[in-house]
Amino acid sequence: MKTQLSVLTALVTFALSTQVSATEDNGIHNMLANGEVHGMLRYRYENVDQSGIAEQAHASTLLTRINYTTATLKGVSALLEFDNVTEIGNDNYNSTVNGHTDHPVVADPKGTEVNQASLQFKNKELHVVAGRQRINLDDQRFVGGVAWRQNEQTFDGYRVVYKPSESLKFDYSYVFNVNRIFGEDSNKSDLHGKLHFANAAYQVNKQFNVSVFAYLYDFDAALASSTQTMGVRATGQLSDSLSYTLSYATQQDYADNPNSFDADYILAELKGKVSKLGWKVGYELLGSDNNIGFSTPLATGHKFQGFADKFLATPGNGLADLYFGVNGQLADIKLSATYHFFDSDAQSIDYGQELDLTAAYALSSNCNVLFKYAMYNADDYATDTDKVWLMLTHKF
């Protein structure tokens, strides 16, 4: 970790020095002096009651985030961001590193680390980022920051975004390390490898957008997660109150993966609105081949297949998720409810069902409160689980 940070710091310093001449010292001074500091405080209480585990989890944690972004000089700027996760009260939960295995997992270990450290160059058409950075592609189904957890997932590498017109964008990243959510004290803290994220998006018109993507993962140690995924995603408007999302991808073993498989991914979702009530219905399939399920190890998994997080790793028989949801507003409180039916792709296994509820209220433009609840009823996969969250977020 220290070696990686030293390399990134040296990269930022060297690259910045090569962008300006010695006669522009005043410009560098203004670049640093006119930078901006921002931050976030996020307190969260999470309770987990999981069948088969004797104790309940009671996780009370505070995320403190501070970042500094320099002003821009000849298109160049730098970003440095630190995160600290602190336990408030007793650590009556399994953080994955504290040894409390008699409690359910709440993957929010305490600790301090560099969340981002990058140098950027940006003009009208080109955006280049080098260093530790946040990468969220499309809806984060394949590549995302897992920002729901207190310790965000970020990526060490290089990213180039080229946008030759308002309707066309090319996005490519080479990543050599993934800083995962488990913290620096975990043996699962980092995923090293040679990773390629390629995404091209085109807006055909205001009612139709399409993107194609290729994600190649060659991990140094997590060999079974080394995969090649290629696909297409389309979003559009059927009317002012009706929209859709369609996606298809295929995934094969890649690099030194010891397994051999070829699995498919399918998403079809329809969203609409009746008066002030929103609704959605969708079907998502992560297929199976040779008893290996379609995997998304770098996704923001909490957004998909239920808040209870029972399916962050796809079962060997795959996963089919049929879901229905509604959302609306009562006074100034935003409400939503979603119900999932989980089944396998192979062997016709009824995994279970889940109900997810949220209520969000904005105390001000920079401060909000969120309540979430998840109830997973197991049939033939995992165990019954109830989760409750109460979160207060303030940005400054």
Side-chain angles (χ1 to χ4, degrees):
M1 171 64 181
K2 292 182 179 179
T3 301
Q4 293 172 353
L5 291 182
S6 299
V7 171
L8 290 174
T9 301
L11 172 66
V12 169
T13 303
F14 174 76
L16 182 59
S17 66
T18 60
Q19 292 294 322
V20 295
S21 67
T23 61
E24 293 174 314
D25 288 343
N26 190 54
I28 296 176
H29 172 78
N30 291 335
M31 180 182 181
L32 298 174
N34 295 325
E36 295 185 352
V37 176
H38 295 282
M40 178 175 72
L41 296 172
R42 186 169 75 183
Y43 169 78
R44 179 160 65 215
Y45 169 75
E46 180 171 344
N47 169 253
V48 183
D49 183 1
Q50 184 172 332
S51 178
I53 299 181
E55 303 291 338
Q56 293 188 24
H58 298 276
S60 176
T61 59
L62 175 67
L63 165 63
T64 303
R65 173 173 294 164
I66 299 292
N67 63 53
Y68 168 73
T69 305
T70 70
T72 300
L73 177 61
K74 292 191 174 182
V76 176
S77 63
L79 166 66
L80 185 61
E81 181 174 83
F82 292 93
D83 280 2
N84 172 264
V85 180
T86 302
E87 295 165 350
I88 308 297
N90 297 322
D91 57 343
N92 295 324
Y93 66 102
N94 180 4
S95 72
T96 71
V97 296
N98 62 5
H100 293 186
T101 55
D102 58 339
H103 291 71
V105 169
V106 177
D108 288 331
K110 64 180 180 180
T112 303
E113 63 180 55
V114 175
N115 197 50
Q116 295 190 87
S118 65
L119 181 77
Q120 304 185 43
F121 171 79
K122 190 174 184 179
N123 61 23
K124 184 178 180 180
E125 297 179 347
L126 186 65
H127 186 194
V128 181
V129 186
R132 178 162 298 178
Q133 57 193 284
R134 181 180 293 119
I135 302 178
N136 294 319
L137 299 177
D138 287 330
D139 60 352
Q140 303 182 47
R141 190 62 188 95
F142 298 97
V143 178
V146 199
W148 167 251
R149 297 265 51 108
Q150 297 285 58
N151 184 20
E152 186 180 17
Q153 176 172 277
T154 55
F155 302 86
D156 295 341
Y158 313 92
R159 184 180 185 185
V160 178
V161 179
Y162 176 58
K163 193 173 183 180
S165 68
E166 286 299 317
S167 59
L168 183 61
K169 182 175 74 171
F170 299 97
D171 193 326
Y172 170 76
S173 300
Y174 173 76
V175 170
F176 54 85
N177 182 55
V178 182
N179 307 284
R180 306 182 74 200
I181 65 172
F182 302 105
E184 292 302 314
D185 295 331
S186 172
N187 58 10
K188 299 188 294 182
S189 173
D190 299 287
L191 273 177
H192 301 283
K194 296 178 283 293
L195 315 178
H196 303 269
F197 310 153
N199 189 299
Y202 180 60
Q203 183 181 40
V204 179
N205 52 49
K206 293 183 178 180
Q207 287 76 40
F208 181 59
N209 299 270
V210 62
S211 62
V212 294
F213 51 85
Y215 304 131
L216 279 63
Y217 304 160
D218 179 4
F219 293 112
D220 293 346
L223 301 183
S225 295
S226 294
T227 57
Q228 173 183 282
T229 303
M230 298 185 179
V232 60
R233 183 173 188 268
T235 61
Q237 293 285 139
L238 297 175
S239 68
D240 290 341
S241 60
L242 191 62
S243 64
Y244 65 88
T245 301
L246 300 171
S247 185
Y248 170 79
T250 180
Q251 183 177 91
Q252 297 86 31
D253 53 285
Y254 181 68
D256 294 326
N257 192 323
N259 304 306
S260 178
F261 66 97
D262 189 339
D264 294 329
Y265 169 86
I266 298 172
L267 171 68
E269 183 180 82
L270 196 63
K271 289 184 178 181
K273 196 169 186 179
V274 178
S275 187
K276 295 183 179 181
L277 183 68
W279 59 268
K280 67 179 178 180
V281 57
Y283 177 79
E284 186 176 35
L285 174 71
L286 286 80
S288 171
D289 181 50
N290 200 20
N291 201 35
I292 298 172
F294 190 109
S295 66
T296 58
L298 303 184
T300 299
H302 186 74
K303 289 183 62 178
F304 308 92
Q305 277 103 44
F307 297 153
D309 289 338
K310 292 297 181 179
F311 300 99
L312 295 179
T314 307
N317 286 311
L319 173 63
D321 176 16
L322 175 64
Y323 57 93
F324 306 87
V326 293
N327 64 84
Q329 190 163 319
L330 180 62
D332 292 326
I333 303 175
K334 295 181 180 179
L335 304 169
S336 73
T338 305
Y339 200 83
H340 299 262
F341 297 89
F342 299 117
D343 297 285
S344 67
D345 175 46
Q347 305 298 324
S348 300
I349 303 170
D350 183 1
Y351 288 150
Q353 305 83 41
E354 181 171 327
L355 172 66
D356 295 326
L357 304 173
T358 67
Y361 177 71
L363 298 171
S364 69
S365 59
N366 298 321
C367 186
N368 64 78
V369 179
L370 175 67
F371 168 83
K372 289 176 66 168
Y373 172 71
M375 179 179 65
Y376 176 75
N377 292 320
D379 286 324
D380 292 315
Y381 187 84
T383 57
D384 293 349
T385 301
D386 292 311
K387 293 189 178 185
V388 177
W389 298 268
L390 182 62
M391 188 166 76
L392 175 65
T393 303
H394 177 68
K395 296 180 180 180
F396 56 91

